[in-house]
Every structure is written in structure tokens, then in C-alpha cells.
Amino acid sequence: MRLAITEQYRLKTQNNIYDITGYVNAKTLANFTSAEDFIGNNIYTRGGVRDNYSNKYINEASINAMSQIIQKDLTTPLPWKPEDYIILTNGLCGSSCALITEHAAEFKNVSTVVVGGLASNNLMSYSSFTGGMVNNSTQVFNSLGELGLLNNTLMPKPYPLTGMVSSFTMKEVYSKTNPDEVLDFAFRPADFRLFYDEKNIRNVSILWSQAAALIGSK
């Protein structure tokens, strides 16, 4: 990956998954001045395996794009405060769902409620994996091809069978209040717990009402 990032920084191809130009340093909020500046010298242990990781960064390009959408479409201030909200999930909330819910709970102390799970477990997480961003093998091979690295001995080879695709995440997401906590591995227990019954399992609006009744109870 180091070689791919270095080549992308030099060649600046379009829509390449190894492009880092939209990222800024998470500590300084400054743009990275080179591929090496982005990569850094970080070794972490994940699942018992020690490996190299890049410096922590913020995807400023995505944040700016989202800010523009909000500024354009939310021209009238919303009448609700964070304490007027509650997030209801069944614990399978992952990817973008996990990013949004954990951000709201961590930054604004928005209440959370989870439904389902084993009754013998007192606590249940309202979110699962954050995942960063999902890429697939087709994107990897296409990006490597654009960089002239597809035949490099250090790079993975395309699958032998047509149509074979695998998806995976290439990024970790960290907590802002606890910068060393990787959210993919974090257990985030909900503030409240609901269980399915004969009625609410058939009518989700009942669950919404049950969750809404808990607003302000934290």
C-alpha cells in the first residue's frame, strides 16, 4: 500500500482509492506534504498482528461536501435540541449508521435505545462496526492498473475467475473523546433497552413510540 500511495501522490490519477489529497492531519489539520508525511512510522497490534499504519487523518473533502449539502438544504434551524432526540437501533447499526449514531452520542450526548438481543445480557451495543469506507477488489485492481503497479511483485493479483469480487475496509475509525479507541472494536452499550413482543415486532411504529417515551429519562 505504501508504494501505491506514493505513486498516486506522484501521478495524481482520477478516482483512485489510494488518493490522499483530500485528507488532513488529525492533529494539526494541515494538508499532508508528501506520501511519506501521510504514511509516517506507526506500528500497532490488531488481532495479535503487529503492522504498519498511516498517520491519523480526517477526510476533509468528504466533510466539506457534507457541510455544503447541510448549508444548502437546512436553511431553517431545527427546533430540537440534542436532548430531544433518541436513536433506536436493533444493534446491527453499522458502517454509516454507526458513524452517525456514535458521533451523535459522543459529541452531543444523544440518548440511545436498542431493541432485541438476549434477555440474559443486561447491556447491548446500539452500534456495530464503523468500518471507515468499504472498497472492493475490483477497485483495488483498477487503481493499481492506473498506477502501473498491477504486475508489481509486491501487489496482489487479480482473481483468476471472472466475476469474483471481495469487499473489505482499508481504514480504521477512532473515537474523538478517546483518541486511541478503535470504534470497530468498541462496545457501545445503549442507554435504554427494549424487547420485541407480539405487537411491536409486527408494527414498527409501536417501537418508535416506546423509544420516544424514553426521551428525557437519561
Side-chain angles (χ1 to χ4, degrees), residues 9 22 29 55 57 69 89 104 110 116 121 126 140 154 156 158 160 169 188:
Y9 193 86
L29 300 183
N55 286 321
Y57 65 87
I69 293 174
T89 83
V110 172
N121 293 339
Y126 62 85
V140 170
L154 296 175
T169 58
R188 292 299 177 98

Side-chain angles (χ1 to χ4, degrees), residues 10 40 54 63 67 71 87 89 122 140 146 166 179 207 212 214-215:
R10 182 176 68 86
S54 72
I63 293 175
S67 297
Q71 292 171 2
I87 297 171
T89 83
N122 293 328
V140 170
E146 292 171 356
S166 59
L207 279 175
L214 296 170
I215 293 176

Side-chain angles (χ1 to χ4, degrees), residues 28-47:
T28 65
L29 300 183
N31 293 103
F32 292 104
T33 57
S34 66
E36 287 300 318
D37 184 29
F38 170 76
I39 293 168
N41 185 28
N42 311 284
I43 300 177
Y44 302 134
T45 300
R46 300 286 184 260

Side-chain angles (χ1 to χ4, degrees), residues 4-209:
I5 292 172
T6 301
E7 284 300 290
Q8 169 58 25
Y9 193 86
R10 182 176 68 86
L11 297 175
K12 295 180 172 55
T13 65
Q14 297 294 315
N15 300 318
N16 197 295
I17 64 172
Y18 299 105
D19 186 9
I20 64 170
T21 55
Y23 303 158
V24 296
N25 188 292
K27 290 184 178 180
T28 65
L29 300 183
N31 293 103
F32 292 104
T33 57
S34 66
E36 287 300 318
D37 184 29
F38 170 76
I39 293 168
N41 185 28
N42 311 284
I43 300 177
Y44 302 134
T45 300
R46 300 286 184 260
V49 178
R50 286 172 58 83
D51 210 339
N52 296 91
Y53 288 75
S54 72
N55 286 321
K56 295 178 182 178
Y57 65 87
I58 296 172
N59 191 338
E60 187 180 50
S62 294
I63 293 175
N64 289 341
M66 183 61 68
S67 297
Q68 291 176 5
I69 293 174
I70 293 174
Q71 292 171 2
K72 176 184 176 182
D73 296 334
L74 294 180
T75 55
T76 302
L78 297 175
W80 307 289
K81 299 177 181 179
E83 56 267 28
D84 298 324
Y85 291 88
I86 194 165
I87 297 171
L88 169 65
T89 83
N90 62 358
L92 297 179
C93 172
S95 192
S96 297
C97 177
L99 283 172
I100 293 171
T101 57
E102 292 183 15
H103 185 282
E106 190 171 277
F107 281 81
K108 297 298 183 180
N109 198 30
V110 172
S111 296
T112 56
V113 55
V114 67
V115 60
L118 299 175
S120 58
N121 293 339
N122 293 328
L123 299 176
M124 181 174 169
S125 182
Y126 62 85
S127 63
S128 55
F129 68 97
T130 49
M133 183 175 69
V134 177
N135 295 112
N136 61 56
S137 52
T138 300
Q139 292 173 301
V140 170
F141 299 137
N142 287 344
S143 293
L144 292 177
E146 292 171 356
L147 299 174
L149 296 175
L150 203 54
N151 295 321
N152 189 289
T153 56
L154 296 175
M155 300 300 161
K157 301 304 178 185
Y159 296 134
L161 299 179
T162 302
M164 290 184 64
V165 178
S166 59
S167 298
F168 47 86
T169 58
M170 299 171 63
K171 304 174 182 179
E172 292 182 331
V173 180
Y174 292 82
S175 165
K176 288 290 288 184
T177 57
N178 184 11
D180 292 326
E181 181 183 26
V182 183
L183 295 182
D184 287 272
F185 309 140
F187 175 65
R188 292 299 177 98
D191 298 308
F192 303 102
R193 186 83 179 272
L194 294 174
F195 291 97
Y196 290 110
D197 58 31
E198 183 67 23
K199 293 183 178 180
N200 65 23
I201 199 170
R202 300 175 185 277
N203 185 348
V204 69
S205 65
I206 296 177
L207 279 175
W208 296 339
S209 296

